[in-house]
Amino acid sequence: MTENILVTGGTGTLGRHVVDRLAAAGHPARVLSRTREPYIGDLRTGAGLGAALDGVGTVVHLASDPRDSSADVEGTRRLIAAAPAGTHLVYISIVGVDRHPYSYYRRKYEAERIVENSGLPYTILRATQFHNLVLFALEALAKAPVLLVPAGTSLQPVEIEEVAERLVELALGAPAGRVPDMGGPEIVSVAELARTYLRVTGRRKPVVPLLLPGRVAAAFRRDAHLAPDHPDGRGTFADFVATAPGRSGYGTRARR
């Protein structure tokens, strides 16, 4: 069977779930990689993209790196330039990118607009933070004697496998433009998420909210990153931590 779906970021935390679900649905996908054959390509330079995209009808664009704009902005431009006419481009973004000053979110929003103006049929899904990211952050913060968290800030974490499930549904469907946001089932303060993490992992230490300065922290306190009208997820953060303490599996290619 001709493979007609390409996944960028297919080896990342989200990408692995998307690739596995596509295969389970009878649609094995090509995975774009800088080093792994057979579909070697580099979004930073454009090298190899033409060959990887040859015969592709759908691209699920997941590659992202908050430390390097090339994956999100320039990489998206290069991907679109190399894509065959009529390719369905499915792009994963983040809730609130159009109203948040965080530089990574602004780059994701710029990439959204590149997709929208590409002339290609497209689908854009914005999701809230993944459980994996929250666990990754709390694991790092919990190394200190006191677990410091941003005061007045809440999150709406969502299960990464559920986001992958939605992306596969969108990839196998018709282009739909920007679809409704996808959020987790609960909006919970970061302090409470920290207490949940400590309780489930059997640790005891003070959780101390700290008021952070700056525009980015203020935007998080304004809930610019939440989707209260879309509590679509099923699994809670407590459920996730109970089954995966100390195993966030989180890497730079999958950050939210």
Side-chain angles (χ1 to χ4, degrees):
M1 186 177 77
T2 301
E3 296 173 309
N4 64 349
I5 299 176
L6 177 72
V7 179
T8 74
T11 60
T13 309
L14 174 61
R16 292 193 298 270
H17 290 293
V18 170
V19 170
D20 288 347
R21 285 183 175 273
L22 283 169
H27 297 272
R30 303 178 183 182
V31 176
L32 185 71
S33 171
R34 292 199 299 268
T35 58
R36 298 183 186 179
E37 295 182 343
Y39 302 107
I40 296 178
D42 193 338
L43 291 170
R44 298 173 302 177
T45 65
L49 294 184
L53 286 160
D54 185 36
V56 164
T58 299
V59 174
V60 184
H61 185 25
L62 310 178
S64 184
D65 189 341
R67 303 172 304 176
D68 181 1
S69 64
S70 62
D72 294 289
V73 178
E74 297 305 325
T76 299
R77 286 197 180 100
R78 294 187 182 99
L79 183 67
I80 289 169
T87 300
H88 178 198
L89 183 57
V90 180
Y91 183 63
I92 183 65
S93 190
I94 307 170
V95 169
V97 292
D98 55 340
R99 57 182 185 265
H100 205 292
Y102 179 28
S103 59
Y104 176 50
Y105 285 19
R106 302 308 297 172
R107 292 198 299 269
K108 294 292 286 187
Y109 185 45
E110 185 176 353
E112 280 190 13
R113 288 180 289 178
I114 292 169
V115 171
E116 291 169 345
N117 295 321
S118 67
L120 296 176
Y122 69 88
T123 302
I124 296 173
L125 173 66
R126 292 178 180 176
T128 54
Q129 285 67 37
F130 300 151
H131 292 320
N132 305 62
L133 172 60
V134 179
L135 177 58
F136 178 81
L138 291 176
E139 286 172 345
L141 292 171
K143 293 177 182 178
V146 174
L147 207 166
L148 298 174
V149 297
T153 301
S154 295
L155 297 176
Q156 190 179 357
V158 65
E159 173 54 52
I160 200 167
E161 293 188 24
E162 295 175 10
V163 177
E165 179 182 355
R166 178 65 172 139
L167 283 168
V168 168
E169 178 185 11
L170 294 170
L172 298 181
R178 188 183 150 207
V179 298
D181 295 346
M182 182 173 184
E186 300 177 324
I187 295 175
V188 186
S189 72
V190 178
E192 185 56 34
L193 291 169
R195 294 185 185 101
T196 296
Y197 164 74
L198 293 173
R199 182 177 66 253
V200 174
T201 57
R203 306 177 69 179
R204 298 184 65 181
K205 63 177 58 187
V207 174
V208 179
L210 181 67
L211 187 63
L212 300 178
R215 295 170 58 242
V216 170
F220 278 110
R221 290 193 294 271
R222 291 197 307 270
D223 298 337
H225 57 296
L226 303 182
D229 295 332
H230 296 282
D232 306 303
R234 301 180 298 276
T236 66
F237 180 70
D239 294 334
F240 174 77
V241 177
T243 59
R247 297 190 301 275
S248 68
Y250 212 74
T252 58
R253 286 172 297 183
R255 289 187 181 175
R256 303 291 300 154

